[in-house]
Amino acid sequence: MKNLSPVARTALIVGAFLVLGAGVSERDDGEVPKTSQATHEFTLALLKDSVTVKNAPANIVLSAQSIFPGLAMSYIASAGETRAELVRVCRFPDDNQQLLADLAGIRRQLEATAEHRRLDVSMANSAWLDETYATFRKDYLDEAQATFDASFTPVKFVDSKRASVEINRWVAEKTHGKIQQAVNPADFASRIRPGVIDAPVLVTVNAVYFKADWGSRFDKLATHHLPFYVDSSTTTDARMMHQQSILPYAENDNMKFLEIPYIDGAYSMYVL
């Protein structure tokens, strides 16, 4: 890897993500489902925003496919200004039922591909509600359970240490121990002050686990130690994989694009 500008480095790393469209396939009439369009638009907006954040780390890993359903779980229970802001950011459709149907399609597809013997993929959702302020509505529980197969846990965020331990334990379990800490007690700090109620009430969590063989496998014997550029002037020794394959690739004056398919082409990693 040659010297890259901070923006280019960020785009390169942040552009590596799994893409699985909501509903995935086109409808019988050839039209792409609105929620699928919203997912793609949200993903691109998230990546564009990430590379323009001041003082952001040069290397960032984001999963739009994880963030989108987590916010959707909040959206279907929202109203007023909160709902309007989520529509603006996530491009959610006005119709909850359309959104739920499309997202349920994602989960069904994940469950289908999970049966592949060389693919290990799962998505888990949970909602954590501070019982000091509210309780789960039955209609919300029914909709979220049917769509997201989510678990629901009452907590008290005033005990932030205990809440973070419980959430991190859940995340570690669902990611096969790969993610040990997703939140910390400071994330649940109350910002209540005179005339302002600003305290955590509902936390939605999405955990994605993915492990698969490459469609074109890397030969271990082709792995070599080479310099990796942390920034334009700093390098560190790293093991670099190599292979020669025919892969989808494109570039223009602003970016380079590479698709690296996983086994059977069910998923791909896209590097921008």
Side-chain angles (χ1 to χ4, degrees):
M1 182 182 295
K2 297 182 179 180
N3 294 357
L4 297 172
S5 68
V7 169
R9 290 198 309 278
T10 306
L12 179 67
I13 301 301
V14 84
F17 59 97
L18 288 176
V19 174
L20 178 61
V24 179
S25 59
E26 296 182 352
R27 296 198 316 235
D28 293 339
D29 58 8
E31 183 180 351
V32 177
K34 290 184 179 180
T35 304
S36 183
Q37 296 178 35
T39 304
H40 300 324
E41 290 175 7
F42 172 75
T43 299
L44 293 174
L46 178 66
L47 296 179
K48 289 178 181 178
D49 183 70
S50 299
V51 300
T52 59
V53 175
K54 293 182 178 180
N55 301 320
N59 300 321
I60 305 173
V61 177
L62 296 173
S63 173
Q65 187 59 58
S66 186
I67 297 172
F68 192 86
L71 291 175
M73 289 181 65
S74 299
Y75 176 71
I76 62 174
S78 66
E81 185 177 347
T82 299
R83 187 177 178 88
E85 289 180 351
L86 286 170
V87 169
R88 178 177 57 82
V89 172
C90 301
R91 284 76 165 173
F92 288 135
D94 292 333
D95 184 1
N96 274 6
Q97 297 308 311
Q98 181 62 59
L99 175 64
L100 293 171
D102 288 343
L103 292 177
I106 286 183
R107 187 164 64 85
R108 286 193 298 270
Q109 189 185 37
L110 283 170
E111 291 171 349
T113 57
E115 298 176 359
H116 195 297
R117 65 183 183 87
R118 298 172 71 181
L119 278 175
D120 190 357
V121 56
S122 62
M123 180 184 291
N125 297 282
S126 63
W128 309 74
L129 181 69
D130 194 320
E131 56 187 355
T132 303
Y133 300 98
T135 57
F136 286 113
R137 297 196 322 257
K138 185 179 184 306
D139 59 331
Y140 175 78
L141 290 175
D142 292 343
E143 289 180 336
Q145 177 65 36
T147 302
F148 304 100
D149 192 23
S151 62
F152 304 92
T153 306
V155 293
K156 290 185 181 295
F157 289 118
V158 67
D159 188 352
S160 58
K161 184 176 180 179
R162 180 175 178 179
S164 62
V165 167
E166 291 182 4
I167 293 175
N168 285 329
R169 184 184 296 122
W170 182 88
V171 171
E173 176 189 347
K174 299 303 181 181
T175 60
H176 299 210
K178 296 298 183 182
I179 300 177
Q180 293 291 326
Q181 182 174 347
V183 297
N184 62 65
D187 293 328
F188 308 119
S190 172
R191 294 185 292 273
I192 292 179
R193 56 189 184 275
V196 176
I197 298 177
D198 187 356
V201 176
L202 175 67
V203 172
T204 57
V205 184
N206 174 278
V208 176
Y209 179 81
F210 180 86
K211 184 178 180 180
D213 292 333
W214 294 109
S216 177
R217 301 191 67 176
F218 289 87
D219 186 345
K220 290 183 179 180
L221 297 178
T223 299
H224 306 290
H225 285 272
L226 292 171
F228 175 82
Y229 284 83
V230 179
D231 55 38
S232 60
S233 60
T234 307
T235 63
T236 183
D237 191 54
R239 299 178 67 200
M240 299 284 191
M241 300 186 300
H242 291 78
Q243 68 165 266
Q244 291 185 351
S245 301
I246 298 176
L247 299 170
Y249 174 83
E251 65 175 271
N252 58 26
D253 293 339
N254 299 315
M255 63 170 287
K256 296 180 179 180
F257 170 89
L258 175 67
E259 178 183 358
I260 308 178
Y262 289 97
I263 193 71
D264 289 346
Y267 295 88
S268 289
M269 183 173 77
Y270 295 92
V271 183
L272 306 181

